Amino acid sequence: MNQPSNSIEYASISAIPCTSSLKAKRGPRGGIYDPFPIKFYRMLDQVKDEGQESIVSWLSHGRAFKIHKPKVFAATIMPRFFNQSKYTSFQRQLNLYGFSRCCRGRDAGAYHHPFFLRGQPSLAKNIVRTKIKGNGHKTMKLHEVEPDFHAMGPLDDAQESSSDGSSVSSLPSLEQLTVVSANS
């Protein structure tokens, strides 16, 4: 009897055209703020422009990023871009926004999200913070099949622009991107 396994396969959306605008949101009192994923995306660009990629950077394929020097990142970069300086708080934000950590292979220690891709900043607008639920106990996560981003090939930094004017609103939901494997 073939039953679906508990593994989840990564689905790349890098081929979907999108717009390049990353406008700040207005808060309930009229102030402007950037959600964490957009602020982090801008931080990665600025760190690259400043030549600090030895601390944090996109990986060569553009589908994940890695914090190479967590202590230096927490002491020098985090206070400039976020209202926190504890690395564990930063990791918690990544988890609340659905980022997954690579545990094995060439990308071990890196984080990825289907909507967080180099050269496509407007996709980050689709990353939604999960609600904090429950009783303080962590639930077991399904065993995730880690994607091999190197086999997918690198992303172009210029993929963001779209000749047909397609918008982000035509993107699939995360539920549509998550494919439960039927192989046991």
Side-chain angles (χ1 to χ4, degrees):
M1 198 182 222
N2 269 348
Q3 298 228 348
S5 72
N6 286 340
S7 64
I8 298 174
E9 295 177 10
Y10 179 86
S12 176
I13 60 167
S14 61
I16 298 172
C18 57
T19 61
S20 61
S21 113
L22 270 184
K23 293 181 183 175
K25 288 186 174 183
R26 290 229 177 248
R29 297 183 185 167
I32 296 176
Y33 74 96
D34 281 333
F36 174 80
I38 296 189
K39 194 183 288 190
F40 187 67
Y41 196 101
R42 287 185 176 143
M43 185 223 59
L44 282 171
D45 284 346
Q46 191 167 340
V47 166
K48 178 183 177 187
D49 294 343
E50 295 170 356
Q52 295 181 316
E53 290 179 294
S54 64
I55 300 169
V56 59
S57 68
W58 288 103
L59 295 184
S60 61
H61 46 69
R63 291 178 173 85
F65 65 89
K66 187 170 185 177
I67 300 168
H68 308 287
K69 299 177 182 175
K71 289 180 182 176
V72 177
F73 176 76
T76 62
I77 294 177
M78 276 179 53
R80 287 176 42 208
F81 294 93
F82 308 101
N83 293 331
Q84 59 190 10
S85 59
K86 291 184 180 177
Y87 186 67
T88 53
S89 297
F90 178 79
Q91 288 177 311
R92 184 169 187 266
Q93 286 295 312
L94 290 172
N95 291 330
L96 287 171
Y97 278 95
F99 284 84
S100 297
R101 187 167 187 210
C102 299
C103 296
R104 294 180 288 279
R106 292 186 271 182
D107 296 338
Y111 289 89
H112 64 91
H113 190 286
F115 290 132
F116 201 77
L117 304 172
R118 184 182 62 216
Q120 299 184 19
S122 63
L123 287 177
K125 291 187 286 189
N126 295 295
I127 301 174
V128 180
R129 188 176 191 268
T130 58
K131 303 272 189 245
I132 302 172
K133 299 178 187 173
N135 53 12
H137 294 92
K138 289 184 179 180
T139 56
M140 295 267 311
K141 204 175 187 184
L142 295 174
H143 294 281
E144 192 174 309
V145 176
E146 288 191 10
D148 183 1
F149 295 120
H150 296 276
M152 295 178 194
L155 293 174
D156 285 338
D157 285 337
Q159 282 186 344
E160 186 66 27
S161 59
S162 140
S163 60
D164 64 353
S166 298
S167 70
V168 176
S169 62
S170 62
L171 292 172
S173 69
L174 275 178
E175 290 78 25
Q176 291 169 320
L177 292 174
T178 304
V179 180
V180 179
S181 174
N183 301 331
S184 348

